[in-house]
Amino acid sequence: MISEIAIFEASEPNIDLSKSDSPFKATLEQHLKTVLTFDGAQAAYYGQVIEKPHIVIVFVNWDNIDSHVRATQSAPCSKFPAHESSFRSNLVKGNGPGNVFHVPFKENMLDALQPKTSSGTIGDTEMVFAHFQPSPLPQAAKDAILESFSHVEPFIQRHGGLTGYRNGWVVESLSTPLLEKADEGKGKCDVYVNLTGWDKVETHMKFMETQDFKDNQHLFMDVEGLQGAEIVHARFYQV
């Protein structure tokens, strides 16, 4: 499985994807239902960035990256270009960020993307997009960085509220930042994506005030090649 991730600025101001009667939400869901009719598409999720509510993030899980490519290019999926054009014209603001990329998460990331709380409700997902140069990084360097980050989860779990933790490298080299208009002059970066499910955003924010966090943040911040990171939260909904 591979996850296609799309980040874009909403075409309408003041959207609220938590409201079931939102016209923007209804249009977005209808487009994603169309995507799920394509061969190889497994599931779709969408969310609104809490810190930047004009930014929408969509996840579509595919059998593999070839499934997504075939959906966009092959004759049986000739309806895809028209669908994509309609998606952009109806939902995407023209001059905002518009990134589409792929991450092969090694495990099902549902417990991070749709974290279930003890009461059965859906919690919030912390998303980290970390930018590394030079790009492309050697595979050995990527593996070493993942090994360094593997030590983060255990000390988070000591504080409770954590429901899932998944990570992976973006297949493509990207211009950054991803959540704002990219600075093309910086050159391409390799991007590491981390999804952490929390019962609520407030739990994560309180955790960042602990001494344990302050003593261990070097596990992330001091990694060689790190150029910057975007850290935000969203609540995701499944189509």
Side-chain angles (χ1 to χ4, degrees), residues 19-44:
K19 293 184 176 180
S20 59
D21 61 350
S22 163
F24 185 95
K25 179 187 180 83
T27 303
L28 177 57
E29 283 202 353
Q30 188 56 52
H31 278 278
L32 292 175
K33 286 177 181 177
T34 300
V35 170
L36 292 176
T37 66
F38 299 144
D39 289 342
Q42 298 181 2

Side-chain angles (χ1 to χ4, degrees), residues 19-223:
K19 293 184 176 180
S20 59
D21 61 350
S22 163
F24 185 95
K25 179 187 180 83
T27 303
L28 177 57
E29 283 202 353
Q30 188 56 52
H31 278 278
L32 292 175
K33 286 177 181 177
T34 300
V35 170
L36 292 176
T37 66
F38 299 144
D39 289 342
Q42 298 181 2
Y45 309 86
Y46 62 92
Q48 181 176 6
V49 175
I50 292 172
E51 296 86 352
K52 301 173 183 287
H54 60 293
I55 301 297
V56 176
I57 300 181
V58 171
F59 283 73
V60 179
N61 292 343
W62 297 85
D63 291 345
N64 48 54
I65 198 168
D66 290 338
S67 299
H68 184 206
V69 172
R70 284 195 300 270
T72 63
Q73 296 180 349
S74 65
C77 295
S78 58
K79 61 182 177 179
F80 193 95
H83 164 76
E84 184 178 26
S85 176
S86 175
F87 182 95
R88 291 186 176 278
S89 62
N90 286 303
L91 297 169
V92 181
K93 188 172 180 178
N95 59 359
N99 291 288
V100 179
F101 49 89
H102 302 86
V103 181
F105 293 105
K106 290 186 177 181
E107 301 177 60
N108 188 330
M109 76 296 193
L110 191 58
D111 56 353
L113 196 61
Q114 278 207 309
K116 293 286 181 67
T117 68
S118 57
S119 63
T121 59
I122 299 298
D124 298 310
T125 300
E126 170 199 357
M127 292 171 289
V128 177
F129 301 100
H131 320 145
F132 288 86
Q133 288 181 331
S135 178
L137 288 172
Q139 187 58 48
K142 289 184 175 182
D143 292 343
I145 291 169
L146 284 178
E147 168 61 23
S148 176
F149 289 165
S150 70
H151 300 290
V152 173
E153 184 178 6
F155 84 81
I156 296 178
Q157 288 180 325
R158 294 199 291 265
H159 294 271
L162 178 72
T163 66
Y165 186 87
R166 297 290 180 266
N167 55 22
W169 287 96
V170 174
V171 172
E172 303 87 353
S173 292
L174 301 175
S175 298
T176 58
L178 304 180
L179 301 170
E180 300 291 345
K181 192 168 181 62
D183 180 0
E184 301 292 346
K186 285 178 53 179
K188 300 286 188 179
C189 290
D190 281 12
V191 178
Y192 162 90
V193 180
N194 191 95
L195 307 175
T196 304
W198 296 90
D199 59 355
K200 54 187 176 181
V201 171
E202 290 77 10
T203 303
H204 178 215
M205 303 312 292
K206 288 180 180 178
F207 164 70
M208 293 178 66
E209 297 173 358
T210 65
Q211 191 60 45
D212 205 9
F213 172 80
K214 295 173 183 177
D215 291 343
N216 287 280
Q217 61 180 331
H218 67 277
L219 293 172
F220 182 81
M221 300 306 298
D222 294 345
V223 176

